[in-house]
Amino acid sequence: MSIISDIQKALFAKQDLKYQKFHSGLVPTIDPKSIIGVRTPDLRNIAKEFANRPDVDKFLSSLPHKYYDENQVHAFILSVMKNYDECVARIDRFLPFVDNWATCDQLRPKVFAQKANRERLLKDVEAWLGTGELYTVRFGIEMLMTYFLDEDFNPKFLKWVAKIHSEEYYLNMMVAWYFATALAKQWNATIPYIEKKRLADWTHNKA
């Protein structure tokens, strides 16, 4: 059996139909039939189980996946990769196939947290923000929010996010989330964006 069928088998072994019905309502942008219904702790365990298999590349290269839960496992496998360049290369291949906020937000590579990679990460964030692709841009904003609102903060990052204009709910929500977090962590630099209403009305109100 291939790793793809092995992962699917592992997923169906952990299927929870009540959870499937509940979770389908949380990700309305995708077909409920593509959701197996596997809880996050089980998804993480499955990802951990298959991440070091010699043939994991076959699964990671098999895009698009058939099931939403496979995308979740994919995101968790990428999140534990230890080589920065390989991780980013894999992310760049994966992001165009991300079609919902949950998969996007589960993608949190541990290698990004290493200070030695911060300069390279910032360049990659800029690239993601410039793609114009809904979930790629959302991912870029989230990485900017996660790693560049503390000691590595620069006020110019606020401008990067503020100039993103979209009609997409899940992107505008991410912009609002970013500014809400920026207000908590970098008040003096951020509050002028609220006081001077530099954000779109809807995003401003959500923030």
Side-chain angles (χ1 to χ4, degrees):
M1 295 177 68
S2 72
I3 188 172
I4 297 169
S5 58
D6 286 347
I7 288 175
Q8 290 177 353
K9 183 178 179 180
L11 289 169
F12 276 101
K14 293 295 184 179
Q15 184 179 43
D16 182 332
L17 292 177
K18 288 185 178 179
Y19 181 73
Q20 190 271 347
K21 184 176 181 180
F22 165 74
H23 198 70
S24 295
L26 299 180
V27 282
T29 59
I30 61 176
D31 184 354
K33 293 179 182 178
S34 72
I35 300 175
I36 297 172
V38 182
R39 294 178 180 273
T40 298
D42 290 324
L43 291 169
R44 289 184 185 277
N45 287 336
I46 291 169
K48 185 177 181 180
E49 176 186 349
F50 287 94
N52 293 318
R53 261 188 49 164
D55 56 348
V56 69
D57 180 71
K58 185 174 182 180
F59 172 71
L60 296 177
S61 300
S62 178
L63 293 166
H65 296 302
K66 182 177 181 179
Y67 296 105
Y68 159 83
D69 310 70
E70 289 180 282
N71 282 327
Q72 299 296 84
V73 169
H74 193 133
F76 286 133
I77 289 175
L78 296 185
S79 294
V80 298
M81 293 185 75
K82 296 179 180 180
N83 180 280
Y84 181 89
D85 291 329
E86 183 182 358
C87 182
V88 169
R90 290 291 187 184
I91 287 171
D92 285 341
R93 271 182 255 175
F94 181 53
L95 284 174
F97 296 95
V98 173
D99 58 1
N100 67 91
W101 67 267
T103 301
C104 180
D105 294 3
Q106 294 282 33
L107 187 53
R108 289 289 187 91
K110 293 180 180 179
V111 71
F112 286 5
Q114 297 175 13
K115 288 288 290 182
N117 294 325
R118 203 56 50 85
E119 187 174 338
R120 286 190 291 176
L121 176 58
L122 187 58
K123 291 180 180 179
D124 289 318
V125 165
E126 279 194 84
W128 292 322
L129 293 180
T131 63
E133 298 294 328
L134 169 56
Y135 292 107
T136 302
V137 177
R138 181 183 171 100
F139 177 71
I141 297 172
E142 189 169 359
M143 294 304 99
L144 201 59
M145 179 179 72
T146 303
Y147 299 109
F148 296 95
L149 276 180
D150 295 300
E151 64 269 18
D152 293 310
F153 173 73
N154 187 311
K156 70 180 181 181
F157 302 153
L158 297 167
K159 294 181 180 179
W160 290 2
V161 180
K163 71 179 183 180
I164 295 171
H165 299 288
S166 174
E167 298 298 321
E168 295 284 357
Y169 172 84
Y170 291 104
L171 185 50
N172 289 331
M173 277 298 295
M174 188 69 243
V175 173
W177 184 10
Y178 174 85
F179 273 93
T181 307
L183 283 167
K185 292 190 171 187
Q186 300 290 343
W187 174 269
N188 290 335
T190 309
I191 190 60
Y193 285 82
I194 303 301
E195 293 177 335
K196 297 178 182 179
K197 295 188 176 181
R198 295 180 182 176
L199 305 176
D201 289 344
W202 189 93
T203 310
H204 172 97
N205 292 337
K206 287 293 183 182

